[in-house]
Amino acid sequence: MEFKSLTPYGEAIRMASGLRINVRESYVSVAESVGRYCSRDVVSPVDFPEADRSAVDGIALRYEDSLSASRSNPIQLSLVGEVRIGDSPAFRINRGECAIVYTGSPIPEGANAVLMKEDASIGKSMVSVYRQMKKFQNISRAGEDLKRGDTIIKRGSRIMPWHLPAFIESGIDKVPVMDAEIGIVSTGTEIVRGLVKNSSAPMLEAMISRMGLKSAFYGNVEDDESRIRSVIEGMKSDIIIVTGGSGPSSQDLVHDIIASNGQLIFHGVRMKPGRTTGLGMMDGKPVFMISGLPVAALIAFENIIDPAIRSWFGMKSLERRTRRGYLTRSIFNNENMRMFVRVRMFEEDGKTMVEPMRTTGSGVINSVISADGYLVIEENSEGYPEGAEVDVLEIGDGL
Amino acid sequence: MEFKSLTPYGEAIRMASGLRINVRESYVSVAESVGRYCSRDVVSPVDFPEADRSAVDGIALRYEDSLSASRSNPIQLSLVGEVRIGDSPAFRINRGECAIVYTGSPIPEGANAVLMKEDASIGKSMVSVYRQMKKFQNISRAGEDLKRGDTIIKRGSRIMPWHLPAFIESGIDKVPVMDAEIGIVSTGTEIVRGLVKNSSAPMLEAMISRMGLKSAFYGNVEDDESRIRSVIEGMKSDIIIVTGGSGPSSQDLVHDIIASNGQLIFHGVRMKPGRTTGLGMMDGKPVFMISGLPVAALIAFENIIDPAIRSWFGMKSLERRTRRGYLTRSIFNNENMRMFVRVRMFEEDGKTMVEPMRTTGSGVINSVISADGYLVIEENSEGYPEGAEVDVLEIGDGL
């Protein structure tokens, strides 16, 4: 039995995005937050620096006192104290006075510039100032780096290592992140019997972790409608992926389970590989159906599951770069499908060449591990002739 | 006290790369291997598929028997058996015979094509063949995906989720990966006393984990030469990073500790930020010295530590993309330093504009979290005028 009709790719994405699925929010430690997506805008609760601080080791003074200073005509100031990092100076700097400070020391009241120690000669009670200063010179002003209320990171953005200093310096020790468990169950008697290996589920778990979400594998289940249904019903996950049994035939059980116990949103997509991809709702949870074959599962994950989840949760997409090149041979789309053609890229005579790889077989692992990118051919395109200039979506090495 | 001389950036990289530092090798499970770097070429130990297999549900036959078949003039074959996935068929297909097979079933001896079941009419003992077949049509040939000895991934490449199916299908359950512990110790009495937060160490740990290596934090140590030395000497790490105390002055203790107990390779680099970066060897281990200020620490990690380690271990660099744009204002390099200028990028009148951010202060967190990329200005460049077209190294969102 074949699909009665296939849903165009764009329409499948629109139908998926139209669902309202809520994300959970968790607070995690700063160190654990890297790679996760912020569930709300994080703003600085404080000014940083929280007070004016010296940016150098030197002499805090009133800049007005230095106006005529030069190396040949130094000015003398009385040394009234020293301020170490973390001190709260009890004295103030009046006209004609100064104090020793260090990088990071708070600026004593009254002072409004810091002379670098190289530009001074420091005695026991007097300092010679060799240089004219400007107001606030060598002072990091309170809030100059982050003001209270400044956004550190926006909702839906991915937390990167360089966000950590801003969290830590502004006193944030728990970060609000999007949280969801994506549960995977693999169907197939041949997998349960050990005749075929389940190589898709571990790959899908790694892809989920790359989205900053949690994965859970609920095991391999034989092709038995009531067993599959009871595993799905027992899953604690927020979102479910069922691999295998995603075809349209009567031996493919998953579409019936979803249709009888919930609602099919779409099943069968005008894409290749990934044609048997489907989405339904059961018990208020989205249930994706995808092929158990690794390449079809990967393409379905990247192009249906990932964008659907990101649209539900408001997560930014991972940036993917494209690279232009020239086709080494023609490639046809005679099936009115959105095709994801794995390609190799290489340089020849100063031109970037794009070589389509064999596209038969959605289990063809080799085409994925040795591809440099994907050429996406739209449903309504007939393909490209040899020599055509095309944009390739690079595969990349970022997790 | 200032640096007597600063090492040019390229020279520092050459000096670091010239060291011979060995990487350790570990074998980890397939699931744990994602994001790590292969320590040797991994080749398939088997052909995959290990035998000819059917690519469809249908009828295994000898293609020669189908040569005149058509829907109006079907050919009759005797049905001699059925081969399920995982079976080892005991019978062979002779001229005039056929067998039922499924996607993934081994092909019985003698058969050399599989007719899709839609193109047959299957009776109890006879099958009507409605279509002419080609040799090996709908058969996945043994080794067609991966041949024994084919490279799955090369030494120094990063393991991505899509490598897992190839490992699993070819029976590899432990993957050889590069292993090293990078230990961090942070110096600074003001950090130990809690007056200043250590926001660099957690960021560095996340950067190390992004290299697929292990990090270990050995704590904050006050500015005391013997204490710092004893912590460094007690570290089990393969590579050591000391934050803070990296300056050239007599209060900066790290360079003396390395010089007295080992050997300084370089200290003080013609780069900004990151000028105080250094590298030495103690007990046969590389010891990096970097600023404790987060932005300087980040730039030093990305541009000195990361490339040095990758050169020692033979790890591929993470791909970084560049984007061209036009400077909104001039930017000068009057210090003969390699400058890493954080920039924002935006579109205006169809042009990509590049706006340099304030560059003072290597602790300026805000410039990192809101930058879109870096403009690198070489030591020997005087900078760029307003409107100049420049290449910006994008920051990206890949871990």
Side-chain angles (χ1 to χ4, degrees):
Chain A
M1 211 176 85
E2 253 307 309
F3 286 106
K4 279 185 220 99
S5 72
L6 293 171
T7 304
Y9 173 77
E11 181 62 16
I13 292 290
R14 268 189 299 278
M15 290 168 93
S17 306
L19 299 176
R20 286 289 151 260
I21 310 296
N22 293 324
V23 65
R24 286 185 290 123
E25 181 177 58
S26 291
Y27 278 76
V28 297
S29 73
V30 168
E32 288 169 327
S33 72
V34 176
R36 304 200 63 175
Y37 285 77
C38 267
S39 54
R40 55 180 70 208
D41 292 359
V42 177
V43 300
S44 179
V46 293
D47 285 342
F48 183 78
E50 74 295 343
D52 287 3
R53 281 200 206 150
S54 180
V56 295
D57 293 350
I59 300 297
L61 46 71
R62 300 172 78 110
Y63 87 101
E64 303 89 334
D65 284 344
S66 74
L67 289 182
S68 64
S70 68
R71 209 152 269 275
S72 55
N73 188 23
I75 277 170
Q76 305 297 315
L77 299 177
S78 333
L79 183 56
V80 298
E82 180 182 16
V83 186
R84 297 189 163 270
I85 300 166
D87 282 358
S88 307
F91 57 87
R92 60 171 280 137
I93 303 294
N94 299 306
R95 291 299 300 259
E97 294 178 349
C98 69
I100 293 174
V101 292
Y102 303 92
T103 307
S105 296
I107 301 296
E109 214 191 312
N112 54 20
V114 178
L115 179 74
M116 288 176 79
K117 64 181 184 212
E118 297 88 310
D119 297 320
S121 159
I122 304 171
K124 221 174 163 72
S125 63
M126 297 299 286
V127 171
S128 301
V129 173
Y130 293 127
R131 191 190 172 127
Q132 179 176 325
M133 300 298 292
K134 284 182 279 193
K135 195 169 189 182
F136 301 127
Q137 196 171 351
N138 296 326
I139 291 183
S140 299
R141 302 302 309 281
E144 116 184 322
D145 200 353
L146 281 174
K147 281 202 180 31
R148 186 177 161 178
D150 274 357
T151 301
I152 295 173
I153 182 169
K154 281 192 179 302
R155 178 180 202 281
S157 296
R158 193 176 201 199
I159 299 165
M160 299 297 285
W162 39 90
H163 290 111
L164 305 196
F167 294 148
I168 294 168
E169 299 285 7
S170 59
I172 294 168
D173 52 5
K174 293 282 179 187
V175 185
V177 296
M178 298 198 185
D179 202 1
E181 179 187 290
I182 321 280
I184 300 167
V185 57
S186 296
T187 70
T189 302
E190 69 284 5
I191 295 181
V192 174
R193 286 170 59 202
L195 304 171
V196 169
K197 287 166 179 156
N198 185 352
S199 67
S200 291
M203 173 186 70
L204 293 171
E205 290 205 84
M207 294 298 285
I208 292 164
S209 145
R210 194 185 187 209
M211 297 179 77
L213 299 174
K214 293 186 191 120
S215 71
F217 180 54
Y218 284 80
N220 302 319
V221 187
E222 58 199 274
D223 294 311
D224 177 285
E225 188 159 338
S226 72
R227 285 184 201 232
I228 297 172
R229 198 189 61 232
S230 87
V231 172
I232 293 177
E233 287 173 349
M235 288 169 80
K236 301 267 179 292
S237 313
D238 303 281
I239 295 168
I240 292 169
I241 299 174
V242 186
T243 77
S246 64
S249 78
S250 56
Q251 293 111 289
D252 292 302
L253 305 171
V254 185
H255 57 121
D256 278 348
I257 295 171
I258 297 176
S260 314
N261 300 273
Q263 172 199 4
L264 271 177
I265 309 291
F266 59 80
H267 184 211
V269 180
R270 204 164 274 298
M271 64 190 285
K272 193 177 174 182
R275 195 175 56 104
T276 63
T277 307
L279 171 61
M281 291 294 292
M282 260 177 80
D283 296 330
K285 293 176 182 179
V287 182
F288 289 100
M289 311 159 55
I290 62 175
S291 167
L293 296 171
V295 179
L298 178 63
I299 300 288
F301 188 92
E302 288 191 298
N303 296 287
I304 298 276
I305 300 178
D306 176 286
I309 293 175
R310 289 183 192 268
S311 79
W312 296 336
F313 294 175
M315 289 161 63
K316 272 192 196 163
S317 296
L318 284 178
E319 292 166 11
R320 288 187 76 169
R321 60 180 166 189
T322 56
R323 199 163 141 215
R324 284 189 94 83
Y326 298 91
L327 276 178
T328 59
R329 62 174 175 83
S330 60
I331 179 139
F332 297 109
N333 181 9
N334 46 21
E335 297 177 275
N336 196 24
M337 301 279 260
R338 171 173 290 231
M339 291 173 69
F340 297 88
V341 182
R342 279 87 75 197
V343 300
R344 280 206 178 105
M345 300 181 86
F346 58 92
E347 299 295 312
E348 195 174 79
D349 301 334
K351 280 166 77 180
T352 301
M353 304 306 293
V354 175
E355 184 174 24
M357 300 176 72
R358 213 169 49 113
T359 58
T360 56
S362 31
V364 182
I365 297 167
N366 195 28
S367 70
V368 174
I369 59 182
S370 42
D372 299 307
Y374 291 95
L375 173 60
V376 180
I377 304 179
E378 308 272 338
E379 291 94 318
N380 54 13
S381 160
E382 291 176 355
Y384 299 99
E386 179 182 328
E389 199 176 358
V390 292
D391 280 317
V392 173
L393 214 49
E394 288 197 88
I395 285 183
D397 60 357
L399 281 179
Chain B
M1 210 176 89
E2 253 307 308
F3 286 107
K4 279 185 220 99
S5 72
L6 293 171
T7 305
Y9 173 78
E11 182 62 17
I13 293 290
R14 268 189 299 277
M15 291 167 93
S17 306
L19 300 176
R20 286 288 152 261
I21 310 295
N22 293 324
V23 66
R24 286 184 290 122
E25 182 177 58
S26 291
Y27 279 75
V28 296
S29 73
V30 168
E32 288 169 328
S33 72
V34 176
R36 304 200 62 173
Y37 285 78
C38 266
S39 55
R40 56 180 71 209
D41 291 359
V42 178
V43 300
S44 180
V46 294
D47 285 342
F48 183 78
E50 74 295 345
D52 287 1
R53 281 200 207 152
S54 179
V56 295
D57 292 349
I59 301 295
L61 46 73
R62 298 173 78 110
Y63 88 102
E64 303 90 335
D65 285 342
S66 74
L67 288 183
S68 64
S70 68
R71 208 151 269 274
S72 56
N73 188 24
I75 277 170
Q76 304 298 315
L77 300 177
S78 333
L79 182 59
V80 298
E82 181 182 16
V83 187
R84 298 190 163 270
I85 300 167
D87 282 358
S88 305
F91 57 88
R92 60 171 280 138
I93 303 294
N94 300 307
R95 291 300 299 258
E97 294 179 346
C98 69
I100 292 174
V101 293
Y102 302 92
T103 308
S105 296
I107 301 296
E109 214 191 311
N112 55 19
V114 178
L115 180 73
M116 288 176 79
K117 62 179 187 218
E118 296 88 308
D119 296 320
S121 159
I122 304 171
K124 226 178 158 68
S125 63
M126 297 299 286
V127 171
S128 302
V129 173
Y130 293 127
R131 193 191 169 126
Q132 179 175 325
M133 299 298 292
K134 284 182 278 196
K135 195 168 188 183
F136 301 127
Q137 196 171 349
N138 295 326
I139 292 181
S140 299
R141 303 300 310 282
E144 113 184 324
D145 199 354
L146 282 175
K147 282 203 178 33
R148 186 177 161 177
D150 273 358
T151 301
I152 295 173
I153 182 169
K154 281 193 180 302
R155 177 180 203 282
S157 296
R158 193 177 200 198
I159 300 165
M160 298 298 284
W162 39 89
H163 290 110
L164 305 196
F167 294 148
I168 294 168
E169 299 285 7
S170 59
I172 294 168
D173 53 4
K174 293 281 180 189
V175 184
V177 296
M178 300 199 183
D179 203 1
E181 178 186 293
I182 322 281
I184 300 166
V185 58
S186 296
T187 69
T189 302
E190 68 285 4
I191 295 181
V192 175
R193 286 170 60 204
L195 304 172
V196 169
K197 288 165 178 156
N198 184 352
S199 67
S200 291
M203 173 186 70
L204 294 170
E205 289 204 84
M207 295 298 286
I208 291 163
S209 146
R210 193 184 186 208
M211 296 179 78
L213 300 174
K214 292 185 192 124
S215 70
F217 180 54
Y218 284 79
N220 302 317
V221 188
E222 59 201 270
D223 293 312
D224 177 285
E225 187 158 340
S226 72
R227 285 183 199 231
I228 297 172
R229 198 189 61 234
S230 86
V231 172
I232 292 176
E233 287 173 350
M235 287 168 81
K236 301 267 178 292
S237 313
D238 303 281
I239 295 168
I240 291 169
I241 299 174
V242 185
T243 77
S246 65
S249 78
S250 55
Q251 293 110 291
D252 293 301
L253 306 170
V254 184
H255 59 121
D256 277 348
I257 295 172
I258 298 176
S260 314
N261 298 276
Q263 172 199 4
L264 269 177
I265 309 292
F266 60 80
H267 184 211
V269 180
R270 206 164 273 297
M271 65 190 284
K272 192 178 173 183
R275 196 175 55 107
T276 63
T277 307
L279 170 63
M281 290 293 292
M282 260 177 79
D283 297 327
K285 292 177 184 179
V287 182
F288 290 100
M289 312 158 53
I290 62 174
S291 167
L293 296 171
V295 179
L298 177 64
I299 300 288
F301 188 92
E302 288 190 298
N303 297 287
I304 298 277
I305 299 178
D306 176 285
I309 293 175
R310 288 181 191 268
S311 80
W312 296 335
F313 294 175
M315 290 160 62
K316 273 193 195 161
S317 297
L318 283 178
E319 293 166 10
R320 288 187 76 169
R321 60 181 165 187
T322 55
R323 199 163 141 217
R324 282 189 96 81
Y326 298 91
L327 276 178
T328 59
R329 62 175 176 81
S330 59
I331 180 141
F332 297 109
N333 180 8
N334 46 22
E335 297 176 274
N336 197 23
M337 303 277 262
R338 172 174 288 232
M339 290 173 69
F340 297 89
V341 182
R342 280 88 75 197
V343 300
R344 278 205 178 107
M345 300 181 86
F346 57 92
E347 299 296 312
E348 195 174 78
D349 302 332
K351 280 167 77 180
T352 301
M353 304 305 294
V354 176
E355 185 175 23
M357 299 174 73
R358 216 167 47 111
T359 58
T360 55
S362 32
V364 182
I365 297 167
N366 194 29
S367 71
V368 174
I369 58 180
S370 42
D372 299 307
Y374 290 93
L375 172 60
V376 180
I377 304 179
E378 309 271 338
E379 290 93 318
N380 54 13
S381 160
E382 291 175 357
Y384 300 99
E386 179 182 328
E389 201 175 357
V390 292
D391 280 319
V392 173
L393 214 49
E394 288 196 271
I395 285 183
D397 60 357
L399 281 179

